[in-house]
Amino acid sequence: MKGILILFTAFGLAAADNPSVQTDESMDARTTRRIRETNVEITLERPNELTVGNLTLEGVAVQAIRTDNPLQLINPFAPPEYGRAEDNVTRDPVSGKASGLKLFSIKF
């Protein structure tokens, strides 16, 4: 019993001799600083977009050129790798309804 008491006393003195490091930053401040320091830019390549320098080309024509089977573009049960039909539709800004198809468009 004396051995356990001596062992606990030795560990207690060793822990008291080595204080933990205290920082002025809170956990939230450290987390936000790390988030700001980490620059992660995720860009998803869409099947109907092609980026050349500062220009972005998009539309049905670009998607038909990039795909291996263009007939899948008119297939309503095509797999997801052929993209969504919503990507090639232009919408009316007021009503939000589909107003046309993007055959070919250029973004600067």
Side-chain angles (χ1 to χ4, degrees):
M1 192 64 167
K2 288 182 185 179
I4 294 175
L5 184 62
I6 292 172
L7 185 65
F8 281 135
T9 305
F11 282 133
L13 289 174
D17 188 39
N18 189 8
S20 63
V21 176
Q22 296 290 331
T23 61
D24 294 336
E25 281 186 313
S26 67
M27 183 65 117
D28 293 334
R30 282 185 284 175
T31 303
T32 55
R33 182 177 44 84
R34 287 181 186 158
I35 289 172
R36 285 188 200 132
E37 290 174 357
T38 307
N39 286 334
V40 176
E41 185 175 325
I42 299 173
T43 56
L44 299 176
E45 180 92 12
R46 295 187 347 192
N48 69 335
E49 283 187 354
L50 179 65
T51 304
V52 180
N54 293 335
L55 296 175
T56 301
L57 310 172
E58 65 179 37
V60 176
V62 174
Q63 191 171 2
I65 291 170
R66 290 188 72 188
T67 187
D68 57 342
N69 188 1
L71 290 177
Q72 290 291 338
L73 299 178
I74 59 173
N75 181 4
F77 302 108
E81 68 244 15
Y82 291 102
R84 302 177 336 157
E86 290 286 319
D87 295 338
N88 294 320
V89 174
T90 58
R91 298 203 168 270
D92 183 17
V94 176
S95 66
K97 293 182 181 179
S99 63
L101 288 175
K102 285 190 256 183
L103 294 178
F104 184 78
S105 68
I106 300 174
K107 289 183 182 178
F108 296 87

XYZ file of all heavy atoms in Angstrom:
830
model
N 0.823 -1.187 0.000
C 0.000 0.000 0.000
C 0.866 1.250 0.000
O 0.518 2.239 -0.625
C -0.905 -0.047 1.222
C -1.992 0.957 1.195
S -3.054 0.562 -0.171
C -4.408 1.527 0.162
N 2.001 1.164 0.757
C 2.900 2.309 0.797
C 3.523 2.563 -0.581
O 3.752 3.699 -0.959
C 4.006 2.083 1.827
C 3.560 2.163 3.241
C 4.744 1.966 4.158
C 4.292 1.926 5.591
N 5.412 1.702 6.500
N 3.747 1.492 -1.324
C 4.351 1.626 -2.657
C 3.433 2.391 -3.612
O 3.883 3.232 -4.398
N 2.123 2.105 -3.567
C 1.165 2.795 -4.428
C 1.071 4.259 -4.041
O 1.035 5.141 -4.899
C -0.213 2.103 -4.347
C -0.130 0.705 -4.944
C -1.266 2.917 -5.068
C -1.379 -0.098 -4.804
N 1.099 4.531 -2.713
C 1.043 5.908 -2.244
C 2.280 6.691 -2.670
O 2.186 7.841 -3.122
C 0.894 5.929 -0.717
C 0.727 7.305 -0.074
C -0.533 7.976 -0.583
C 0.697 7.174 1.435
N 3.437 6.064 -2.598
C 4.676 6.716 -3.027
C 4.651 6.949 -4.541
O 5.074 8.002 -5.032
C 5.902 5.872 -2.608
C 6.038 5.880 -1.083
C 7.178 6.374 -3.258
C 7.084 4.922 -0.560
N 4.132 5.988 -5.293
C 4.038 6.108 -6.749
C 3.125 7.263 -7.146
O 3.477 8.086 -7.999
C 3.543 4.792 -7.347
C 3.508 4.707 -8.864
C 4.907 4.792 -9.441
C 2.833 3.422 -9.288
N 1.938 7.360 -6.523
C 1.017 8.464 -6.820
C 1.609 9.818 -6.430
O 1.425 10.814 -7.121
C -0.329 8.260 -6.118
C -1.224 7.286 -6.835
C -1.899 6.307 -6.121
C -1.408 7.352 -8.198
C -2.733 5.422 -6.753
C -2.240 6.466 -8.843
C -2.896 5.482 -8.128
N 2.336 9.862 -5.341
C 2.984 11.101 -4.908
C 4.049 11.524 -5.914
O 4.168 12.700 -6.263
C 3.611 10.919 -3.506
O 2.602 10.462 -2.603
C 4.200 12.212 -2.996
N 4.822 10.567 -6.403
C 5.860 10.875 -7.392
C 5.233 11.402 -8.684
O 5.702 12.377 -9.265
C 6.708 9.635 -7.657
N 4.144 10.777 -9.137
C 3.465 11.259 -10.342
C 2.851 12.636 -10.122
O 2.860 13.481 -11.007
C 2.386 10.264 -10.794
C 2.930 9.064 -11.507
C 2.498 7.794 -11.175
C 3.868 9.188 -12.517
C 2.978 6.683 -11.834
C 4.360 8.089 -13.185
C 3.921 6.825 -12.836
N 2.316 12.862 -8.945
C 1.735 14.167 -8.631
C 2.776 15.267 -8.621
O 2.556 16.362 -9.139
N 3.942 14.993 -8.046
C 5.026 15.988 -8.026
C 5.568 16.237 -9.435
O 5.893 17.367 -9.795
C 6.146 15.525 -7.091
C 5.828 15.560 -5.594
C 6.960 14.950 -4.795
C 5.539 16.979 -5.145
N 5.655 15.183 -10.247
C 6.143 15.351 -11.620
C 5.156 16.183 -12.440
O 5.539 17.034 -13.246
C 6.357 13.991 -12.265
N 3.851 15.966 -12.234
C 2.846 16.732 -12.971
C 2.805 18.180 -12.502
O 2.595 19.097 -13.288
C 1.473 16.087 -12.809
N 3.015 18.420 -11.230
C 3.002 19.779 -10.698
C 4.238 20.541 -11.139
O 4.209 21.765 -11.294
C 2.921 19.747 -9.181
N 5.334 19.845 -11.383
C 6.569 20.487 -11.807
C 6.515 20.901 -13.276
O 7.205 21.810 -13.694
C 7.745 19.523 -11.577
C 9.078 20.206 -11.817
O 9.202 21.391 -11.436
O 9.974 19.550 -12.387
N 5.677 20.245 -14.091
C 5.595 20.520 -15.522
C 4.215 21.091 -15.844
O 3.319 20.367 -16.246
C 5.840 19.216 -16.297
C 5.974 19.466 -17.779
O 6.038 20.606 -18.213
N 6.010 18.387 -18.539
N 4.015 22.413 -15.706
C 2.690 22.978 -15.980
C 2.381 22.937 -17.476
O 3.272 23.002 -18.312
C 2.802 24.420 -15.483
C 4.246 24.734 -15.570
C 4.967 23.436 -15.328
N 1.112 22.812 -17.792
C 0.707 22.790 -19.195
C 0.804 24.199 -19.782
O 0.728 25.196 -19.086
C -0.716 22.255 -19.327
O -1.608 23.119 -18.666
N 0.968 24.253 -21.080
C 1.126 25.530 -21.780
C -0.245 26.166 -21.945
O -1.170 25.546 -22.463
C 1.786 25.294 -23.149
C 1.880 26.588 -23.924
C 3.148 24.662 -22.979
N -0.389 27.392 -21.508
C -1.645 28.125 -21.635
C -1.511 29.124 -22.780
O -0.510 29.826 -22.884
C -1.969 28.889 -20.338
C -2.215 27.994 -19.153
C -3.523 27.222 -19.283
O -4.462 27.704 -19.913
N -3.563 26.040 -18.722
N -2.501 29.188 -23.634
C -2.500 30.165 -24.729
C -3.622 31.149 -24.506
O -4.615 30.853 -23.844
C -2.699 29.471 -26.093
O -3.948 28.803 -26.085
C -1.580 28.482 -26.370
N -3.458 32.325 -25.066
C -4.478 33.357 -24.933
C -5.614 33.148 -25.929
O -6.686 33.722 -25.777
C -3.859 34.745 -25.135
C -2.872 35.084 -24.018
O -3.006 34.499 -22.918
O -1.982 35.909 -24.254
N -5.367 32.351 -26.962
C -6.387 32.130 -27.978
C -7.402 31.092 -27.501
O -7.044 30.073 -26.914
C -5.766 31.590 -29.264
C -5.106 32.622 -30.128
C -4.662 31.997 -31.436
O -4.060 30.914 -31.393
O -4.939 32.599 -32.457
N -8.631 31.360 -27.799
C -9.653 30.361 -27.502
C -9.678 29.336 -28.633
O -9.054 29.508 -29.671
C -11.024 31.032 -27.377
O -11.433 31.534 -28.631
N -10.413 28.281 -28.428
C -10.506 27.232 -29.436
C -11.164 27.773 -30.708
O -10.746 27.438 -31.819
C -11.301 26.048 -28.889
C -11.381 24.904 -29.849
S -9.773 24.198 -30.126
C -10.024 22.590 -29.502
N -12.182 28.617 -30.570
C -12.848 29.202 -31.740
C -11.901 30.095 -32.523
O -11.897 30.077 -33.760
C -14.071 30.014 -31.307
C -15.164 29.143 -30.730
O -15.213 27.949 -31.100
O -15.953 29.646 -29.913
N -11.085 30.886 -31.832
C -10.146 31.775 -32.510
C -9.100 30.977 -33.276
O -8.742 31.327 -34.412
C -9.474 32.700 -31.506
N -8.614 29.886 -32.681
C -7.641 29.050 -33.379
C -8.262 28.385 -34.597
O -7.634 28.296 -35.649
C -7.082 27.998 -32.429
C -6.042 28.569 -31.481
C -5.431 27.491 -30.663
N -6.419 27.144 -29.634
C -6.300 26.163 -28.772
N -5.254 25.381 -28.817
N -7.229 25.942 -27.863
N -9.506 27.930 -34.470
C -10.174 27.272 -35.588
C -10.388 28.236 -36.740
O -10.118 27.908 -37.897
C -11.522 26.680 -35.128
O -11.291 25.793 -34.045
C -12.205 25.942 -36.266
N -10.858 29.445 -36.452
C -11.076 30.413 -37.531
C -9.759 30.836 -38.166
O -9.698 31.057 -39.376
C -11.826 31.651 -37.016
O -11.115 32.209 -35.910
C -13.239 31.317 -36.617
N -8.678 30.933 -37.387
C -7.377 31.282 -37.954
C -6.894 30.181 -38.888
O -6.398 30.454 -39.974
C -6.359 31.504 -36.833
C -4.990 31.918 -37.345
C -4.008 32.205 -36.226
N -4.003 31.254 -35.142
C -3.327 30.095 -35.141
N -2.622 29.749 -36.180
N -3.373 29.293 -34.097
N -7.076 28.939 -38.502
C -6.659 27.827 -39.361
C -7.485 27.765 -40.632
O -6.970 27.424 -41.693
C -6.777 26.513 -38.598
C -5.710 26.345 -37.558
C -5.847 25.036 -36.838
N -4.897 24.956 -35.744
C -5.032 24.161 -34.718
N -6.093 23.378 -34.618
N -4.129 24.141 -33.767
N -8.764 28.079 -40.536
C -9.620 28.072 -41.730
C -9.177 29.148 -42.700
O -9.129 28.938 -43.910
C -11.098 28.244 -41.329
C -11.597 26.971 -40.653
C -11.960 28.575 -42.533
C -12.972 27.093 -40.061
N -8.824 30.332 -42.186
C -8.364 31.415 -43.059
C -7.030 31.080 -43.713
O -6.773 31.472 -44.846
C -8.229 32.705 -42.257
C -9.534 33.339 -41.947
C -9.334 34.703 -41.321
N -10.536 35.079 -40.609
C -10.581 35.559 -39.391
N -9.465 35.751 -38.721
N -11.717 35.870 -38.823
N -6.153 30.390 -42.989
C -4.847 30.048 -43.531
C -4.933 28.974 -44.600
O -4.093 28.915 -45.496
C -3.928 29.565 -42.409
C -3.516 30.650 -41.455
C -2.734 30.111 -40.270
O -2.564 28.872 -40.167
O -2.296 30.932 -39.459
N -5.923 28.126 -44.535
C -6.069 27.037 -45.478
C -6.874 27.510 -46.680
O -8.044 27.837 -46.568
C -6.788 25.841 -44.823
O -6.114 25.507 -43.628
C -6.820 24.656 -45.749
N -6.234 27.543 -47.833
C -6.918 27.933 -49.066
C -7.220 26.676 -49.863
O -6.342 26.126 -50.522
C -6.052 28.878 -49.894
C -5.997 30.257 -49.312
O -6.916 30.652 -48.611
N -4.944 30.991 -49.591
N -8.435 26.244 -49.788
C -8.867 25.080 -50.539
C -9.932 25.552 -51.518
O -10.968 26.067 -51.128
C -9.448 23.981 -49.617
C -9.966 22.825 -50.431
C -8.398 23.531 -48.638
N -9.644 25.390 -52.788
C -10.602 25.787 -53.805
C -11.049 24.535 -54.543
O -10.238 23.849 -55.177
C -9.964 26.763 -54.793
C -10.932 27.311 -55.793
C -10.290 28.364 -56.668
O -9.447 29.112 -56.176
O -10.639 28.404 -57.851
N -12.315 24.254 -54.417
C -12.874 23.064 -55.051
C -13.641 23.503 -56.285
O -14.582 24.283 -56.200
C -13.804 22.304 -54.091
C -13.020 21.842 -52.877
C -14.449 21.131 -54.798
C -13.859 21.237 -51.799
N -13.207 23.040 -57.423
C -13.917 23.330 -58.654
C -14.352 22.005 -59.264
O -13.534 21.115 -59.491
C -13.031 24.091 -59.654
O -11.843 23.333 -59.879
C -12.661 25.466 -59.131
N -15.620 21.880 -59.487
C -16.158 20.666 -60.077
C -16.264 20.865 -61.580
O -16.835 21.845 -62.043
C -17.529 20.349 -59.490
C -17.556 20.096 -57.986
C -18.981 19.902 -57.519
C -16.727 18.891 -57.648
N -15.709 19.956 -62.315
C -15.751 20.012 -63.769
C -17.119 19.522 -64.231
O -17.494 18.376 -63.993
C -14.651 19.132 -64.343
C -14.584 19.113 -65.829
C -13.640 20.154 -66.365
O -12.879 20.727 -65.603
O -13.694 20.382 -67.572
N -17.869 20.413 -64.830
C -19.182 20.029 -65.344
C -19.019 19.517 -66.770
O -18.148 19.989 -67.506
C -20.126 21.219 -65.292
C -20.386 21.640 -63.867
C -21.420 22.683 -63.671
N -21.884 23.405 -64.825
C -22.621 24.487 -64.780
N -22.972 24.977 -63.613
N -23.022 25.089 -65.854
N -19.848 18.577 -67.194
C -19.673 17.993 -68.527
C -19.963 18.969 -69.660
O -19.509 18.760 -70.774
C -20.670 16.840 -68.568
C -21.359 16.796 -67.288
C -20.861 17.892 -66.424
N -20.696 20.044 -69.390
C -21.026 20.971 -70.470
C -20.155 22.222 -70.444
O -20.469 23.191 -71.101
C -22.505 21.363 -70.401
C -22.810 22.222 -69.204
O -22.119 22.179 -68.208
N -23.862 23.005 -69.313
N -19.037 22.214 -69.693
C -18.140 23.368 -69.623
C -16.742 22.998 -70.094
O -16.256 21.909 -69.842
C -18.034 23.896 -68.194
C -19.197 24.703 -67.754
C -18.942 25.341 -66.400
O -17.911 25.071 -65.760
O -19.808 26.103 -65.980
N -16.114 23.957 -70.753
C -14.734 23.820 -71.175
C -14.059 25.150 -70.890
O -14.496 26.185 -71.380
C -14.658 23.483 -72.664
C -13.274 23.329 -73.267
C -12.570 22.136 -72.658
C -13.374 23.168 -74.760
N -13.006 25.140 -70.071
C -12.319 26.367 -69.697
C -11.029 26.477 -70.488
O -10.189 25.578 -70.473
C -12.007 26.377 -68.192
O -13.238 26.197 -67.482
C -11.378 27.679 -67.765
N -10.891 27.606 -71.194
C -9.698 27.894 -71.981
C -9.194 29.253 -71.537
O -9.773 30.281 -71.884
C -10.013 27.905 -73.496
C -8.761 28.202 -74.293
C -10.645 26.606 -73.926
N -8.135 29.264 -70.730
C -7.618 30.532 -70.211
C -8.638 31.183 -69.300
O -9.076 30.611 -68.316
N -9.030 32.412 -69.628
C -10.034 33.129 -68.844
C -11.445 32.927 -69.392
O -12.398 33.439 -68.817
C -9.721 34.622 -68.811
C -8.455 34.905 -68.033
O -8.074 34.128 -67.167
N -7.804 36.001 -68.347
N -11.578 32.245 -70.503
C -12.885 32.019 -71.120
C -13.460 30.680 -70.687
O -12.733 29.695 -70.543
C -12.772 32.026 -72.641
C -12.344 33.326 -73.305
C -12.181 33.100 -74.788
C -13.357 34.412 -73.036
N -14.760 30.654 -70.512
C -15.458 29.410 -70.228
C -16.500 29.210 -71.315
O -17.385 30.043 -71.495
C -16.141 29.466 -68.849
O -15.133 29.696 -67.865
C -16.840 28.162 -68.542
N -16.380 28.124 -72.030
C -17.327 27.773 -73.084
C -18.286 26.747 -72.506
O -17.868 25.796 -71.844
C -16.595 27.191 -74.284
C -15.404 27.997 -74.817
C -14.670 27.195 -75.869
C -15.865 29.314 -75.370
N -19.559 26.925 -72.775
C -20.520 25.954 -72.267
C -21.711 25.868 -73.193
O -21.920 26.711 -74.052
C -20.975 26.293 -70.852
C -21.752 27.556 -70.704
C -22.174 27.774 -69.269
O -21.432 27.455 -68.347
O -23.304 28.261 -69.100
N -22.480 24.807 -73.023
C -23.680 24.596 -73.810
C -23.772 23.175 -74.322
O -22.931 22.321 -74.048
N -24.817 22.943 -75.098
C -25.072 21.609 -75.636
C -23.988 21.215 -76.628
O -23.546 20.066 -76.652
C -26.463 21.565 -76.307
C -26.705 20.217 -76.953
C -27.545 21.866 -75.302
N -23.506 22.160 -77.452
C -22.476 21.848 -78.442
C -21.179 21.397 -77.771
O -20.557 20.422 -78.199
C -22.210 23.064 -79.323
N -20.777 22.074 -76.708
C -19.558 21.689 -75.983
C -19.735 20.321 -75.345
O -18.840 19.474 -75.396
C -19.211 22.754 -74.914
C -18.056 22.306 -74.065
C -18.929 24.085 -75.562
N -20.891 20.069 -74.782
C -21.142 18.785 -74.141
C -21.171 17.658 -75.169
O -20.686 16.560 -74.896
C -22.451 18.833 -73.368
C -22.665 17.647 -72.471
C -23.860 17.821 -71.552
O -24.549 18.827 -71.607
N -24.094 16.844 -70.709
N -21.714 17.907 -76.355
C -21.756 16.881 -77.395
C -20.351 16.549 -77.895
O -20.058 15.388 -78.202
C -22.627 17.347 -78.552
N -19.477 17.553 -77.941
C -18.102 17.303 -78.383
C -17.323 16.538 -77.318
O -16.538 15.648 -77.632
C -17.407 18.635 -78.723
C -18.033 19.228 -79.985
C -15.910 18.457 -78.908
C -17.596 20.634 -80.275
N -17.541 16.850 -76.065
C -16.772 16.242 -74.974
C -17.206 14.827 -74.622
O -16.433 14.056 -74.080
C -16.878 17.096 -73.714
C -16.135 18.400 -73.846
C -16.095 19.124 -72.567
N -15.186 18.422 -71.663
C -15.041 18.719 -70.399
N -15.744 19.675 -69.862
N -14.203 18.061 -69.641
N -18.439 14.465 -74.910
C -18.938 13.154 -74.503
C -18.560 12.078 -75.514
O -18.333 12.361 -76.686
C -20.464 13.192 -74.296
O -20.878 11.955 -73.756
C -21.202 13.437 -75.592
N -18.465 10.850 -75.046
C -18.119 9.744 -75.930
C -19.339 9.214 -76.686
O -19.192 8.623 -77.744
C -17.448 8.622 -75.140
C -18.304 8.117 -73.998
O -19.234 8.827 -73.606
O -18.033 7.002 -73.492
N -20.532 9.438 -76.167
C -21.753 8.968 -76.813
C -22.777 10.106 -76.796
O -23.556 10.230 -75.851
C -22.283 7.730 -76.084
C -23.438 7.079 -76.806
O -23.851 7.529 -77.871
N -23.957 6.017 -76.227
N -22.823 10.941 -77.851
C -23.728 12.102 -77.846
C -25.213 11.746 -77.779
O -26.021 12.571 -77.365
C -23.413 12.820 -79.155
C -22.103 12.300 -79.604
C -21.963 10.937 -79.006
N -25.580 10.529 -78.155
C -26.986 10.147 -78.091
C -27.486 10.054 -76.654
O -28.683 10.143 -76.397
C -27.223 8.816 -78.810
C -27.090 8.874 -80.336
C -27.265 7.487 -80.927
C -28.116 9.826 -80.920
N -26.580 9.898 -75.708
C -26.973 9.852 -74.293
C -27.485 11.208 -73.817
O -28.158 11.297 -72.796
C -25.798 9.415 -73.420
C -25.410 7.969 -73.582
C -26.461 7.033 -73.016
O -27.279 7.393 -72.175
N -26.448 5.803 -73.493
N -27.179 12.286 -74.540
C -27.637 13.620 -74.139
C -29.148 13.774 -74.275
O -29.753 14.599 -73.593
C -26.923 14.697 -74.948
C -25.406 14.738 -74.792
C -24.817 15.815 -75.677
C -25.028 14.969 -73.350
N -29.768 12.977 -75.140
C -31.229 13.050 -75.282
C -31.931 11.898 -74.571
O -33.149 11.810 -74.597
C -31.645 13.108 -76.777
C -31.137 11.871 -77.528
C -31.144 14.382 -77.424
C -31.654 11.773 -78.941
N -31.158 11.031 -73.927
C -31.709 9.906 -73.189
C -32.139 10.382 -71.792
O -31.304 10.832 -71.013
C -30.657 8.800 -73.070
C -31.147 7.586 -72.328
O -32.305 7.492 -71.943
N -30.245 6.636 -72.110
N -33.424 10.281 -71.445
C -33.842 10.723 -70.113
C -33.338 9.823 -68.983
O -33.328 10.228 -67.832
C -35.364 10.702 -70.185
C -35.701 9.812 -71.314
C -34.549 9.847 -72.260
N -32.896 8.615 -69.279
C -32.407 7.688 -68.274
C -30.883 7.522 -68.333
O -30.339 6.530 -67.875
C -33.080 6.320 -68.437
C -34.574 6.394 -68.354
C -35.357 6.226 -69.480
C -35.197 6.663 -67.148
C -36.730 6.303 -69.403
C -36.566 6.744 -67.063
C -37.339 6.568 -68.196
N -30.195 8.525 -68.867
C -28.740 8.466 -68.992
C -28.085 8.513 -67.615
O -28.622 9.108 -66.676
C -28.246 9.625 -69.843
N -26.914 7.909 -67.467
C -26.209 7.961 -66.182
C -25.775 9.386 -65.839
O -25.690 10.249 -66.705
C -24.996 7.058 -66.390
C -25.024 6.585 -67.787
C -26.235 7.084 -68.449
N -25.473 9.648 -64.572
C -25.137 11.001 -64.125
C -23.886 11.598 -64.764
O -23.735 12.814 -64.787
C -24.923 10.854 -62.616
C -25.501 9.557 -62.236
C -25.559 8.716 -63.451
N -22.980 10.800 -65.287
C -21.768 11.369 -65.875
C -22.035 12.174 -67.146
O -21.180 12.922 -67.600
C -20.718 10.293 -66.147
C -21.090 9.337 -67.239
C -21.258 7.918 -66.739
O -21.357 7.711 -65.539
O -21.303 7.032 -67.591
N -23.223 12.042 -67.709
C -23.576 12.823 -68.880
C -24.199 14.160 -68.507
O -24.563 14.935 -69.381
C -24.514 12.027 -69.790
C -23.804 10.861 -70.439
C -23.972 9.571 -69.973
C -22.934 11.066 -71.493
C -23.306 8.515 -70.543
C -22.265 10.012 -72.077
C -22.445 8.739 -71.601
O -21.771 7.704 -72.170
N -24.315 14.457 -67.254
C -24.807 15.758 -66.803
C -26.317 15.814 -66.677
O -27.041 14.870 -67.001
N -26.772 16.963 -66.184
C -28.207 17.185 -66.018
C -28.718 18.062 -67.143
O -27.992 18.910 -67.661
C -28.481 17.894 -64.692
C -27.982 17.180 -63.481
C -28.200 17.946 -62.219
N -28.307 19.374 -62.449
C -28.912 20.223 -61.648
N -29.466 19.793 -60.557
N -28.956 21.507 -61.914
N -29.956 17.897 -67.507
C -30.553 18.723 -68.549
C -30.680 20.174 -68.085
O -30.627 21.102 -68.890
C -31.922 18.173 -68.935
N -30.790 20.387 -66.788
C -30.910 21.743 -66.230
C -29.683 22.595 -66.515
O -29.771 23.815 -66.533
C -31.112 21.665 -64.717
C -32.451 21.120 -64.302
C -33.553 22.135 -64.516
O -33.337 23.320 -64.235
O -34.619 21.738 -64.975
N -28.538 21.977 -66.737
C -27.310 22.736 -66.978
C -27.333 23.472 -68.309
O -26.607 24.451 -68.487
C -26.094 21.812 -66.940
C -25.877 21.221 -65.566
O -26.361 21.811 -64.579
O -25.218 20.169 -65.482
N -28.118 23.026 -69.255
C -28.143 23.619 -70.590
C -29.415 24.427 -70.855
O -29.715 24.734 -71.993
C -28.006 22.529 -71.652
C -26.652 21.880 -71.596
O -25.649 22.548 -71.398
N -26.610 20.573 -71.748
N -30.132 24.783 -69.823
C -31.377 25.536 -69.972
C -31.146 26.965 -69.513
O -30.514 27.217 -68.500
C -32.501 24.879 -69.133
C -33.766 25.720 -69.140
C -32.804 23.498 -69.656
N -31.663 27.931 -70.289
C -31.647 29.320 -69.832
C -32.986 29.606 -69.170
O -34.033 29.115 -69.588
C -31.431 30.298 -70.997
O -32.460 30.123 -71.955
C -30.090 30.069 -71.642
N -32.934 30.391 -68.120
C -34.145 30.691 -67.355
C -34.471 32.161 -67.426
O -33.584 33.011 -67.494
C -33.964 30.272 -65.905
C -33.737 28.783 -65.766
C -34.115 28.319 -64.384
N -34.161 26.880 -64.325
C -35.243 26.157 -64.567
N -36.371 26.734 -64.863
N -35.202 24.851 -64.480
N -35.773 32.457 -67.401
C -36.240 33.829 -67.328
C -35.934 34.356 -65.930
O -36.310 33.732 -64.939
C -37.753 33.862 -67.598
C -38.312 35.263 -67.620
O -37.515 36.213 -67.751
O -39.540 35.411 -67.499
N -35.224 35.498 -65.801
C -34.843 35.968 -64.474
C -36.022 36.392 -63.601
O -35.936 36.355 -62.373
C -33.917 37.148 -64.736
C -34.010 37.450 -66.164
C -34.667 36.316 -66.851
N -37.131 36.772 -64.194
C -38.278 37.238 -63.422
C -39.115 36.060 -62.917
O -39.375 35.932 -61.723
C -39.150 38.207 -64.261
C -40.382 38.618 -63.499
C -38.338 39.411 -64.678
N -39.514 35.193 -63.830
C -40.408 34.100 -63.441
C -39.656 32.833 -63.028
O -40.196 32.001 -62.309
C -41.364 33.768 -64.585
O -40.639 33.242 -65.686
N -38.419 32.645 -63.496
C -37.655 31.453 -63.166
C -37.996 30.264 -64.038
O -37.455 29.189 -63.858
N -38.872 30.435 -65.009
C -39.243 29.343 -65.900
C -38.212 29.200 -67.016
O -37.539 30.157 -67.399
C -40.611 29.615 -66.520
C -41.730 29.582 -65.515
C -43.061 29.807 -66.190
C -44.189 29.794 -65.170
N -45.482 30.023 -65.804
N -38.093 27.983 -67.531
C -37.172 27.730 -68.629
C -37.634 28.499 -69.865
O -38.801 28.461 -70.230
C -37.107 26.245 -68.928
N -36.691 29.204 -70.502
C -37.065 29.998 -71.666
C -36.297 29.602 -72.915
O -36.582 30.112 -73.988
C -36.840 31.485 -71.378
O -35.478 31.741 -71.144
N -35.321 28.716 -72.817
C -34.585 28.301 -74.003
C -33.449 27.368 -73.650
O -33.218 27.024 -72.497
N -32.713 26.953 -74.695
C -31.566 26.071 -74.529
C -30.283 26.838 -74.833
O -30.251 27.690 -75.708
C -31.649 24.880 -75.489
C -32.684 23.818 -75.188
C -32.711 22.795 -76.308
C -32.372 23.126 -73.884
N -29.226 26.504 -74.125
C -27.910 27.069 -74.422
C -27.224 26.136 -75.394
O -26.740 25.066 -75.034
C -27.056 27.147 -73.163
C -27.407 28.234 -72.225
C -26.334 28.341 -71.153
C -26.853 27.737 -69.883
N -25.926 27.847 -68.762
N -27.195 26.525 -76.654
C -26.462 25.718 -77.634
C -24.970 25.951 -77.486
O -24.180 25.013 -77.500
C -26.916 26.060 -79.046
C -28.361 25.687 -79.377
C -28.715 26.107 -80.786
C -28.586 24.200 -79.177
N -24.573 27.221 -77.333
C -23.176 27.576 -77.159
C -23.122 28.934 -76.473
O -23.771 29.890 -76.915
C -22.471 27.646 -78.528
C -21.021 27.912 -78.416
C -20.150 26.890 -78.064
C -20.498 29.157 -78.689
C -18.793 27.132 -77.980
C -19.144 29.395 -78.609
C -18.293 28.379 -78.250
N -22.390 29.054 -75.402
C -22.261 30.345 -74.732
C -20.818 30.518 -74.270
O -20.100 29.550 -74.049
C -23.222 30.460 -73.548
O -22.855 29.576 -72.523
N -20.424 31.798 -74.129
C -19.073 32.149 -73.720
C -19.173 33.019 -72.474
O -19.900 34.004 -72.464
C -18.321 32.909 -74.830
C -18.228 32.059 -76.085
C -16.934 33.324 -74.343
C -17.637 32.779 -77.265
N -18.443 32.647 -71.431
C -18.368 33.464 -70.215
C -16.975 34.061 -70.145
O -15.988 33.389 -70.422
C -18.611 32.619 -68.957
C -20.010 32.164 -68.773
C -20.102 31.417 -67.443
C -21.481 30.870 -67.209
N -21.554 30.108 -65.963
N -16.879 35.313 -69.764
C -15.591 35.990 -69.638
C -15.119 35.915 -68.218
O -15.794 36.051 -67.288
C -15.701 37.458 -70.042
C -16.060 37.615 -71.501
C -17.367 37.617 -71.907
C -15.053 37.741 -72.448
C -17.687 37.782 -73.238
C -15.364 37.884 -73.779
C -16.692 37.900 -74.182
